Amino acid sequence: MTKVTVTAQSIFYLCPTKTEYMEILGYISALLIGLSLGLTGSGGSILTVPILVYLIGLNPVLATSYSLFVVGVTSAVGGVRFFRQGLVSFKTVLTFGLPSLLTIYFTRLYVVPALPQTFFEVHTLVVTKEVFLMVLFSLLMVMASLSMIRSGFFLSWQGFSSRRLSLLLTFLEAVFVGLVSGLVGAGGGFLIIPALVLLLRLDMKMAVGTSLVLIASNSLIGFLGDLGHYPINWAFLLSFSSLAVLGIFVGAGIAHKVDSQRLKKNFGWFVLAMGLFIILKEFFL
């Protein structure tokens, strides 16, 4: 019989390090991304970049690229559910999608790589490319949290009477969504849905389903613009995305048992706290 000697040093090497614990927590959080999407139909993808940066330990620029893939895959799965129910307007996908697709692709292909490594310095404060992207993302989180905390926060206007004006504003909104999504790697659903409801006058359920298709296509096209710019760890990216997709199915399976509106509001407060934390961490901590 082989004798196994257990020493204090061997036990130390068997114990997970702090970094490994953070990575484990990051993988668990991938499930929560999908769980939120499955339960409330939105919100989970806004946490993808912070999870990849603060738990997995990725560089913020690379995290925005990985986030586009994760958001694209999870949104595509959610979009299929709405498509089967006939709640996707493909005419709107073309109207809104083409400008946003082109914008997000060229943003990832040319704008993000061209951003200066250091934006400015004030005494000891140095705003680098990574800090700029994280702060921009945190501001997006704050806006998204408000849309979850106060239902209809971005839907308080009346519809536009002029169709020509509506189409112009739709085009500008699509370009803006493509630019923001390309910079920070988020889906931008809280920006897309108001545009679809107010400007194109879609029913809310149809707007949500159409939004998921737009987010999926935007995100995946934006990710294609990154290929060749950054090294892609496909094994990690596919496993992380698979956990997020699994979370969607779990969330959808238990959605009828929970108050989704109350859950969405509480999740909004959590996203708000996370957004404010990122601002404090990048500038003061």
Side-chain angles (χ1 to χ4, degrees), residues 169-201:
L169 292 174
T170 299
F171 173 80
L172 294 176
E173 178 84 2
V175 171
F176 178 69
V177 167
L179 180 63
V180 171
S181 299
L183 285 173
V184 302
F190 75 100
L191 293 172
I192 296 175
I193 290 176
L196 300 184
V197 174
L198 296 173
L199 303 177
L200 299 178
R201 298 185 176 90

Side-chain angles (χ1 to χ4, degrees), residues 46-55 60 130-142 184 270-285:
I46 202 71
L47 294 178
T48 307
V49 168
I51 289 171
L52 292 174
V53 172
Y54 297 121
L55 296 182
E130 290 75 15
V131 171
F132 168 77
L133 290 177
M134 289 308 298
V135 172
L136 183 62
F137 192 88
S138 67
L139 295 176
L140 188 71
M141 291 181 73
V142 171
V184 302
F270 174 72
V271 172
L272 177 61
M274 283 293 296
L276 296 176
F277 167 77
I278 290 174
I279 294 175
L280 290 174
K281 185 178 189 307
E282 294 299 329
F283 282 127
F284 303 108
L285 300 181

Side-chain angles (χ1 to χ4, degrees), residues 6-201:
V6 179
T7 65
Q9 186 178 17
S10 64
I11 293 175
F12 174 79
Y13 284 116
L14 287 173
C15 293
T17 64
K18 180 180 178 181
T19 301
E20 289 171 334
Y21 275 123
M22 297 293 278
E23 289 183 3
I24 292 171
L25 185 57
Y27 279 105
I28 295 173
S29 298
L31 278 170
L32 297 180
I33 291 171
L35 187 64
S36 172
L37 287 168
L39 286 172
T40 68
S42 63
S45 61
I46 202 71
L47 294 178
T48 307
V49 168
I51 289 171
L52 292 174
V53 172
Y54 297 121
L55 296 182
I56 302 299
L58 295 185
N59 174 278
V61 178
L62 183 60
T64 61
S65 177
Y66 279 28
S67 175
L68 286 171
F69 184 86
V70 176
V71 171
V73 171
T74 52
S75 298
V77 172
V80 168
R81 292 174 53 209
F82 280 85
F83 170 74
R84 289 176 176 173
Q85 300 173 39
L87 295 174
V88 175
S89 170
F90 285 101
K91 179 181 178 181
T92 304
V93 169
L94 291 176
T95 303
F96 196 99
L98 287 178
S100 59
L101 279 174
L102 290 173
T103 305
I104 192 172
Y105 179 77
F106 286 109
T107 298
R108 295 304 302 188
L109 186 62
Y110 296 114
V111 177
V112 173
L115 291 175
Q117 189 56 43
T118 300
F119 276 76
F120 61 86
E121 298 181 34
V122 179
H123 299 296
T124 58
L125 176 64
V126 180
V127 177
T128 63
K129 181 178 182 177
E130 290 75 15
V131 171
F132 168 77
L133 290 177
M134 289 308 298
V135 172
L136 183 62
F137 192 88
S138 67
L139 295 176
L140 188 71
M141 291 181 73
V142 171
M143 294 177 65
S145 68
L146 294 176
S147 71
M148 288 183 276
I149 294 169
R150 295 183 58 187
S151 298
F153 183 81
F154 292 102
L155 296 173
S156 57
W157 311 330
Q158 296 297 319
F160 294 94
S161 57
S162 170
R163 177 170 176 77
R164 184 173 297 179
L165 178 60
S166 295
L167 290 176
L168 174 61
L169 292 174
T170 299
F171 173 80
L172 294 176
E173 178 84 2
V175 171
F176 178 69
V177 167
L179 180 63
V180 171
S181 299
L183 285 173
V184 302
F190 75 100
L191 293 172
I192 296 175
I193 290 176
L196 300 184
V197 174
L198 296 173
L199 303 177
L200 299 178
R201 298 185 176 90

